Amino acid sequence: MDAQIKPEASAPGTQAKQRISGRAVLLSLGVLLANIVINGLIFLFFRDSTLNPLLTAVLAVLWGVLGVYLIYYTLTWAVEQYPDRIRRKVLPYVFVGPAVIILGWLLILPALRTLYLSFFNASSEKFVGLSNYAAIFSDHLMATALRNNLLWVFVGTLACVCFGLLIAILADRSSYERIAKSIIFMPMAISFVAAGVIWKFVYYYQPGDEQIGLLNAIVTYFGGEPQAWTSMLQPWNNFFLIIILIWMQTGFAMVIFSAAIKGVPDDILEAARVDGAGEVKIFFGIMIPFISSTILTVTTTIIVFTLKIFDVVMVMTGGQYDTEVVATQFYRQFFMYRNFGYGSTLAIVLLIAVLPVILINLRQFRKQGGF
Amino acid sequence: MVGKKKRKSSKTVVNLILGVICFIWILPTFGLFASSFRPAADILHTGWWKVFPHQEWKAGETLQLSKDVDLRQPIEVNGKTYSDDQLKAGVKADDSRLIWENRRARTVNMQEQGWKTTPDLTLDNYKNVLSGKEYKLKEADGSETVQKGSGLSQAFWNTLTIAVPATVIPVLIASFAAYAFAWLRFPGRKTLFVIIIAMLVIPIQVALIPVLKDYTSLGLNGSYLGIWLAHTAFGLPLVTYFMYNFISQLPKDLFESAFIDGASHFTIFSRLILPLSVPALASIGIFQFLWVWNDYLVSLIFIGNQPSVQVMSMKIADLVGSRGNDWHLLTSAAFISMLMPLAIFFLLQKYFVRGLMGGSVKG
């Protein structure tokens, strides 16, 4: 990364003394202004567009590709009217500018504003200090949400990592690795809402002997009583929701572990076998240490993902029957109760929970050579 | 010799265990798939596994009882007596089953057991869930009710309208930024990139309330533009990071020779970098596309209840809430929403896996 190209070095002197022409200034201001006006008009057009959605989509793709491309094209053209030394300074900002503006407006500033709002009351009018934070740790509903979230993170992640590892190893030694991996990985492609419907059907309960839900049919076949799995069996219903996460995320863990396992050198494994080590011993003594950093990465990834779990709970129970998690509670406080104070505080709690991961990412980046 | 035999038998065990796991994994999806083709009444009364050949009672001989049989007394059929309730539910008699065929006309059917090998399948569920028109639904007891379709086809197009620009825009913007971060030097480069890395795993919940406030004052709520911009912003850190990793690994010589030929950064980017980055663009593009396609939270907040812009995931979630027992609609709707991801999964698996592995940390 340290070796950057310095193309201008090849032709020193000749251009460096060029003056900034008035024409260039006018041109670039004109281009900038024209871009703002035209894209502002396009903005208004799309905002108020009542055209057929398909046509809107086509236009949007055109704008997304051509329009965004043209913004860069015209702005770099304008910058190129200036002498080299100015061009070199300004051009990078033209390239990163749009990304920085959008990120700043829609992600970074809002995060700071949310932090600010979390110190205010429900209608964001009165400063209340840390009392929102005190409240969410004492309120019964919030306590349930926090407890459930911990359950999700702990049970869900542990199960995903263990199953992922197990299946990766089994697949590695089986005779139909590709198909098996496809089957296990497939749920990752579909949405949580669709997965929710799939599993709602599995857990479906109706009174009477004829059960159309798979789980209850199995239970009644073996002479058991059918159950309303996701509602009545508190607090175990949480586990039935977590199973959905496991079903979806194990494939992710498996694919990454599978790649890591293939990286374990064969001669080490062979040497261990010659020395008489059993498969179990090889697994714990050689494989696990060898892929430990991969296990760490997968674990943090799934933890981050699980912390923010929302769709499954929303579709399956809507947070009823004591299945509330932080993200659903956030939605409820924000949208239904219009309590911006609590809502913001919950969002910040999620942010604090992922803070260690952010720090790990940054350290990792610096270690890899970063800049 | 012994070792080889042992290896072989252990392989069979491995295959067997893995087979069971795969079977369990695919069973829920298969159940949904099979159900979506069954008639509405069947879904509610028998499990989906009944699409496989199974034994069931089939209508047989009809017995006419005398018109003045008292239903409150034990009823005599073929020399044995049964109660009215028994005949309602069906009662076993030798090899056959007796059940009222028409209680008022006092006819009893003597059903016989037989194999049912061809399941009743229909495309009606798909038609009904896609259209917004009214349709007639046959209940199990033969009565008919009129229901309104769910208009999922409109939601399908809405989802596509949102997903395509919400993929193209961030990928393009992020690629430009990634090029600058990788190959240009400018003050603030390090700070800006560190911020982008910090944003990688940020929960989007921290941005939702203020962005919604801005959108409300700008009139962007419930508009396509608003949701494109939201998805662009939430996707940018990851796409930028992903593209940076790719673009910064390109060989330096490439740029040097281009510069000697007098090419500008813009030309190098669009003529050289973009074509070279196609595999990376495909991977991250697929990831972003699926992310938007499967998204529920962002649409829930920025689109709300406007049916004209509603996306499929919201529509299905609404169906679950309002018509949670209409399995003929839910199963087919869920399957329609899965079509696109599954097609991408099976057709573009290589890019898909790469994109998912790079992008799984997204907030």
Side-chain angles (χ1 to χ4, degrees), chain A residues 1-5 7 43 46-47 53-54 56-57 60-61 63-65 68-69 72-73 76 80 91-93 95-96 98-100 102-103 105-108 110-111 113-114 117 124 167 170-171 173-176 180 182-191 193-194 197-202 204 206 210-214 217 246-247 250 252 255-256 273 301 304 308 310-311 314-315 327 330-331 334-335 340 343-344 347 350-351 354 358 361-362 365 371, chain B residues 7 11 14-15 17-19 21-22 25 27-29 32 35 43-46 48-49 157-158 161 164-165 168-169 172-173 176-177 179-180 182-187 189-190 193-199 201-203 205-214 218-220 224-225 228-229 233-234 236-237 244 248 252 255-256 259 264-266 270 294 296-297 300-301 313 316 320 325 327 330 334 337-338 341-342 345 349 352-353 356-357 360-363:
Chain A
M1 251 337 52
D2 46 358
Q4 300 290 320
I5 350 152
F43 180 95
F46 277 122
R47 192 187 73 179
L54 209 55
T56 321
V61 174
W63 177 69
V65 180
V68 175
Y69 190 77
Y72 286 105
Y73 182 81
T76 41
E80 267 158 23
L91 197 68
Y93 296 105
F95 273 50
V96 297
V100 169
I102 290 181
L103 271 184
W105 173 35
L106 294 174
L107 208 54
I108 299 166
R113 284 162 71 189
T114 301
L117 284 178
S124 317
I167 296 171
L170 287 179
R173 285 144 194 239
S174 76
S175 17
Y176 49 98
S182 284
I183 290 175
I184 307 288
F185 196 62
M186 192 202 65
M188 267 219 88
I190 65 177
S191 69
V193 175
V197 175
I198 290 177
W199 282 88
K200 231 181 150 75
F201 199 47
V202 172
Y204 190 67
Q206 57 185 17
E210 189 72 47
Q211 293 294 332
I212 62 166
L214 184 63
I246 298 170
W247 181 70
T250 297
F252 166 72
V255 167
I256 294 185
R273 285 203 185 99
T301 307
V304 169
K308 297 174 288 192
F310 171 77
D311 312 22
M314 210 58 192
V315 172
F330 162 84
Y331 176 75
F334 171 26
F335 254 82
F340 293 137
S344 307
L350 282 181
L351 180 63
V354 300
I358 293 179
N361 275 352
L362 287 175
F365 180 67
F371 286 141
Chain B
R7 207 47 75 80
K11 187 149 191 168
V14 164
N15 282 341
I17 297 175
L18 193 64
I21 294 176
C22 287
W25 233 258
L27 204 58
T29 319
L32 186 91
S35 294
I43 302 181
L44 275 183
H45 288 96
T46 53
W48 56 264
W49 42 92
W157 293 117
N158 289 343
T161 309
V164 175
V168 173
I169 298 173
L172 198 61
I173 291 180
F176 272 102
Y179 174 76
W183 295 104
L184 303 177
R185 272 230 173 118
F186 55 95
R189 165 173 165 264
K190 196 172 170 180
F193 200 70
V194 163
I195 291 175
I196 284 178
I197 290 188
M199 295 277 133
V201 293
I202 209 167
Q205 277 89 352
V206 297
L208 295 180
I209 297 178
V211 171
L212 190 71
K213 282 185 175 174
D214 283 1
L218 282 170
L220 276 178
Y224 286 124
L225 183 65
W228 293 333
L229 285 175
F234 301 150
L236 261 180
Y244 169 84
S248 66
K252 212 175 99 193
F255 299 85
E256 275 170 354
F259 266 121
S264 71
H265 280 296
F266 187 80
S270 49
N294 288 338
Y296 175 55
L297 179 61
L300 188 63
I301 286 181
S313 55
I316 295 171
V320 172
N325 291 340
W327 284 108
L330 283 174
S337 83
M338 287 159 59
L342 289 182
F345 175 74
Q349 197 158 29
F352 173 86
V353 172
L356 266 189
M357 284 165 74
S360 51
V361 291
K362 187 175 162 170

Side-chain angles (χ1 to χ4, degrees), chain A residues 11 15 36 56 62 81 93 120 124 150 171 193 238 244 250 253 289 305 312:
Chain A
Q15 293 170 343
I36 292 172
T56 321
L62 275 181
Q81 304 308 307
Y93 296 105
F120 284 78
S124 317
L150 282 180
V193 175
N238 281 300
I244 305 174
T250 297
F305 187 82
V312 178

